[in-house]
Amino acid sequence: NSTVFIFWCLLQRIMHGEDVPQPVLQILGIKRINTNSDQERYRLLMSDGKYYNSYAMLASQLNEMQHKGLLNENTIVRLDKYMTSMVGKEGSGKRVLIVTELTVLNSGEEVKSKIGEPVTYENAAKQDSAPKPAPVAASAPAVKKEQSYKNHNNNNTMDSTMNGTLNTGLTHPIASLSPYQNKWVIKARVTSKTAIRTWSNARGEGKLFSMDLMDESGEIRATAFKEQCDKFYDLIEVDNVYFFSKCQLKPANKQFSQLKNDYEMTFTGETVVQLCDDADDGGIPEIKFDLIPISQIASMENKAAVDTIGICKEVGELQTFTSRTTNKEFKKRDLTLVDMSNAAVSLTLWGDEAVNFDGHVQPVILVKGSRINEFNGGKSISVGGGSILKINPDIPEAHKLRGWFDNGGGDNISNMVSARTGGGSFSTDWVTLKEARMRNLGAGDKPDYFQCKAVVHIVKQENSFYRACPQSECNKKVVDEGNGQYRCERCNAAYPNFKYRLLVNMSIGDWTSNRWVTCFNESGEQLLKHTAQEVGEALENDPAAAEKMFADINFSSFIFKLRCKNEMYGDMTRNKLSVQSMTPINYKEYNKYLIKELKEMTGIGPSN
């Protein structure tokens, strides 16, 4: 009762550019391709019974099917979604088939053998006398499409940025791009765009912005410098689909981009960017959001990226302040978001987004790639470079939130994720320093948190600060180039100034043990009662003043909230404690806690 498959000559039609719906083919072989990174890519040998073609690639999202052994030799598959593109020089390039979605119809074990006696498509195509698809039928849609883009862009504001109109009838998948190709056009969605960043060094000054692009085959980072930055920044919008061509390709700098691509693009003076007609942006995936409830933010790591959605219940005033290190003016606004997890969190907007935000109608706000910040035990989120902010998005989650809030759902929020712990959060585990070691806290995959009452014994002045990048969103250590310039490797730029960041190590003790702990910048400022700038300047220029700052806190007692995690140093594992918050002791509240503990220890109930 074997299944009969009729798929004769489908490859010939597909490789001539014809759109064949859901073709059925046989896999004759699959092989992993060697790449310059850890990214997995697989090449397929596919047959239609008459011809076989080795210029076929498996999209990376289908790698799991290969891992599970579903794509073995002789397997019959239906291509539910695919694309073809020309790779190589114009006139002598190869058409590549990219498989993005497929269904296994019969396993290789069931089929057992090759169907037919297929020959190589490349050689047979030259001698094949079989009639080819009518030229008009194959090429008319592409010609018509190209004409529609020309007409569309004649009236589009982006027209002034282009060096001519692109031939959009034939595009290349992002996964096929390499520095060895000169002529290509990609169609991609902009998934994120950074703010404009500036730099100044001995070679001059400049500006740049970056964006992440995505199509069905993969992602790639693109960066525009100087004149190209001015030319394209206001015209490229997140979530729109564009055609891109004539960019320079080079190996990706993984320090600045975590995308799974060996290469990245740089705009040049010849770069062409063309808005895709709304009617033809199909096939390009929508931006995906991994939305989590606001209540879960409380248990996430500091500095982690998070996607969430909530109702803007409260809007703070616009705040303007000047950086002490750069004299640059910054604007920010804090919002309060609530959701159906009965939790609230503070969201910070910066720059133009803060200035132009109107929250009086209490809109639904979705954020992708917001950054978690922890201070004094509370956690907030902020929108930064590469984040996406959407107001009243047209998605089911937003409509559900709207209905919940309009019916009084946000009236009794009990979980304030951004609330600071004040004199010590008595809902957090109280653990002595000795107990922390005995319970092996920090040995799991995630860090452990606890609080204790302890006294400061010794605070080290040595290596208690470093010079950091002056950019507000970057805290990377800079390198003194010896010419009045300080280079940041993360920003790939040099600056005439820097900012100080604290990294204070100290010994604290309770009645059971002593431990060394680390205070990072914000908690270090709180500990020393001086800003990082004041502490850094004193340590470098006024040793007596610095000595007094550090001596003043010796033998002071605090409620410490600590993060505990095992970390590797070379081949050794060390249990590291870092200060999340430290507050003066509220003895009234602390005594209530001690009395409660004593009653539990002696078996005396609250009513006795």
Side-chain angles (χ1 to χ4, degrees):
N1 296 326
S2 61
T3 304
V4 176
F5 294 93
I6 302 175
F7 43 85
W8 206 258
C9 299
L10 292 185
L11 273 175
Q12 182 187 36
R13 295 162 59 192
I14 292 171
M15 301 311 286
H16 273 94
E18 184 179 344
D19 184 12
V20 178
Q22 296 189 321
V24 177
L25 302 172
Q26 184 178 32
I27 297 176
L28 299 184
I30 183 167
K31 181 180 180 181
R32 180 170 178 174
I33 300 172
N34 292 326
T35 64
N36 296 328
S37 70
D38 294 332
Q39 183 182 9
E40 283 186 69
R41 297 307 304 272
Y42 289 93
R43 186 173 180 176
L44 299 166
L45 180 63
M46 308 200 77
S47 165
D48 65 4
K50 183 174 182 180
Y51 299 126
Y52 67 79
N53 179 30
S54 62
Y55 290 96
M57 298 281 291
L58 190 70
S60 57
Q61 65 264 27
L62 300 181
N63 288 352
E64 187 67 21
M65 297 186 72
Q66 166 64 4
H67 298 163
K68 293 179 179 179
L70 300 178
L71 305 179
N72 293 333
E73 184 178 345
N74 300 324
T75 299
I76 304 295
V77 297
R78 183 182 69 232
L79 307 191
D80 299 314
K81 279 190 179 182
Y82 65 91
M83 65 175 72
T84 63
S85 67
M86 297 299 295
V87 176
K89 295 182 179 179
E90 187 174 4
S92 61
K94 299 287 187 182
R95 186 181 291 274
V96 175
L97 170 65
I98 308 290
V99 181
T100 57
E101 288 185 20
L102 63 79
T103 300
V104 174
L105 301 181
N106 289 79
S107 69
E109 289 77 8
E110 292 176 297
V111 180
K112 293 187 167 92
S113 63
K114 177 176 62 178
I115 296 178
E117 294 296 331
V119 296
T120 172
Y121 165 77
E122 290 80 7
N123 294 333
K126 299 176 183 178
Q127 305 172 359
D128 192 5
S129 59
K132 295 186 172 109
V136 174
S139 61
V143 173
K144 181 178 179 182
K145 185 191 304 180
E146 180 183 346
Q147 185 63 39
S148 70
Y149 291 135
K150 289 181 180 178
N151 293 338
H152 173 81
N153 281 284
N154 283 340
N155 298 318
N156 192 284
T157 56
M158 188 170 284
D159 187 59
S160 63
T161 74
M162 299 191 300
N163 310 89
T165 304
L166 294 173
N167 180 354
T168 60
L170 182 63
T171 60
H172 293 63
I174 285 175
S176 73
L177 298 182
S178 78
Y180 310 107
Q181 299 169 253
N182 296 322
K183 295 183 179 180
W184 49 261
V185 177
I186 62 169
K187 182 172 73 171
R189 188 181 302 278
V190 179
T191 59
S192 68
K193 183 178 83 167
T194 69
I196 292 177
R197 307 180 74 169
T198 59
W199 80 84
S200 175
N201 56 35
R203 294 177 299 222
E205 299 179 346
K207 61 180 69 173
L208 65 90
F209 81 96
S210 297
M211 71 196 85
D212 293 338
L213 309 178
M214 172 184 67
D215 69 7
E216 282 192 325
S217 71
E219 298 176 287
I220 194 168
R221 167 66 59 88
T223 303
F225 293 88
K226 296 185 177 179
E227 293 83 3
Q228 308 310 315
C229 177
D230 293 331
K231 184 176 182 179
F232 289 106
Y233 186 80
D234 292 330
L235 298 172
I236 292 177
E237 298 181 4
V238 171
D239 211 16
N240 281 351
V241 177
Y242 300 88
F243 295 96
F244 297 85
S245 185
K246 298 183 179 178
C247 298
Q248 179 186 3
L249 279 126
K250 61 180 182 179
N253 187 337
K254 295 301 183 180
Q255 186 176 0
F256 305 112
S257 174
Q258 302 303 313
L259 300 184
K260 293 181 179 179
N261 199 316
D262 294 338
Y263 304 108
E264 61 188 17
M265 303 194 316
T266 301
F267 283 21
T268 70
E270 297 182 346
T271 293
V272 182
V273 179
Q274 184 172 314
L275 182 66
C276 178
D277 193 309
D278 291 340
D280 195 62
D281 65 3
I284 304 299
E286 298 288 337
I287 298 175
K288 295 181 180 179
F289 301 96
D290 184 17
L291 300 174
I292 70 161
I294 289 174
S295 60
Q296 291 186 19
I297 295 175
S299 60
M300 294 183 69
E301 281 281 278
N302 187 31
K303 303 301 181 184
V306 62
D307 302 352
T308 193
I309 186 172
I311 296 282
C312 177
K313 186 176 182 181
E314 298 175 3
V315 183
E317 296 294 325
L318 182 67
Q319 302 176 49
T320 303
F321 61 95
T322 302
S323 169
R324 289 188 294 267
T325 57
T326 64
N327 289 322
K328 185 177 179 180
E329 185 179 85
F330 292 94
K331 291 180 173 21
K332 71 173 219 175
R333 188 190 299 272
D334 292 327
L335 317 178
T336 300
L337 302 187
V338 298
D339 74 353
M340 296 173 68
S341 67
N342 204 29
V345 69
S346 176
L347 168 67
T348 302
L349 306 182
W350 296 89
D352 291 340
E353 284 183 333
V355 174
N356 300 326
F357 181 78
D358 181 9
H360 294 94
V361 295
Q362 295 183 309
V364 178
I365 294 181
L366 182 152
V367 286
K368 178 178 178 62
S370 62
R371 191 67 59 183
I372 295 177
N373 300 299
E374 181 168 0
F375 182 64
N376 273 7
K379 290 180 179 176
S380 61
I381 56 178
S382 63
V383 175
S387 301
I388 298 174
L389 179 78
K390 286 181 172 286
I391 308 296
N392 291 323
D394 186 14
I395 59 174
E397 293 88 343
H399 301 315
K400 189 175 181 180
L401 266 176
R402 182 83 270 163
W404 166 79
F405 186 79
D406 290 347
N407 287 282
D411 294 343
N412 297 299
I413 299 297
S414 60
N415 183 3
M416 309 301 290
V417 173
S418 301
R420 298 179 182 179
T421 57
S425 172
F426 289 88
S427 62
T428 304
D429 285 345
W430 283 79
V431 178
T432 65
L433 296 176
K434 183 177 181 179
E435 285 175 332
R437 282 198 184 277
M438 292 177 62
R439 288 165 55 176
N440 204 22
L441 296 185
D445 293 335
K446 294 184 178 180
D448 291 311
Y449 296 87
F450 68 94
Q451 61 183 358
C452 67
K453 173 183 172 290
V455 62
V456 177
H457 289 163
I458 304 170
V459 184
K460 285 186 176 181
Q461 293 188 40
E462 297 82 8
N463 302 317
S464 59
F465 74 94
Y466 67 93
R467 296 171 175 178
C469 175
Q471 296 290 336
S472 60
E473 296 178 1
C474 181
N475 296 320
K476 181 75 173 177
K477 185 177 181 180
V478 295
V479 177
D480 189 346
E481 295 188 325
N483 57 0
Q485 298 287 315
Y486 301 89
R487 182 167 186 79
C488 174
E489 295 298 334
R490 176 176 294 170
C491 298
N492 195 26
Y495 305 95
N497 58 332
F498 57 84
K499 64 188 176 191
Y500 289 104
R501 297 278 299 178
L502 296 180
L503 193 64
V504 181
N505 288 298
M506 63 180 178
S507 173
I508 64 173
D510 62 8
W511 63 278
T512 65
S513 182
N514 299 337
R515 289 292 301 272
W516 284 96
V517 300
T518 301
C519 288
F520 295 100
N521 198 66
E522 290 77 10
S523 55
E525 290 181 327
Q526 186 183 3
L527 172 75
L528 296 169
K529 299 179 181 179
H530 290 276
T531 66
Q533 187 71 19
E534 292 169 341
V535 175
E537 290 177 352
L539 285 167
E540 292 203 303
N541 305 313
D542 192 346
E547 181 72 29
K548 185 176 187 306
M549 288 181 186
F550 282 78
D552 283 347
I553 58 174
N554 287 339
F555 309 112
S556 300
S557 294
F558 298 92
I559 301 292
F560 290 94
K561 184 175 182 181
L562 301 171
R563 176 186 184 273
C564 184
K565 187 73 178 76
N566 286 352
E567 296 184 1
M568 293 298 298
Y569 293 86
D571 57 354
M572 296 180 60
T573 301
R574 297 181 186 176
N575 187 258
K576 184 175 180 179
L577 292 181
S578 56
V579 177
Q580 301 298 293
S581 67
M582 48 178 295
T583 54
I585 301 171
N586 181 329
Y587 284 99
K588 183 178 179 180
E589 293 298 321
Y590 184 61
N591 286 339
K592 285 182 181 179
Y593 160 74
L594 292 177
I595 292 171
K596 175 176 173 292
E597 289 290 298
L598 285 170
K599 287 182 176 180
E600 290 180 357
M601 291 171 62
T602 58
I604 302 175
S607 59
N608 293 87

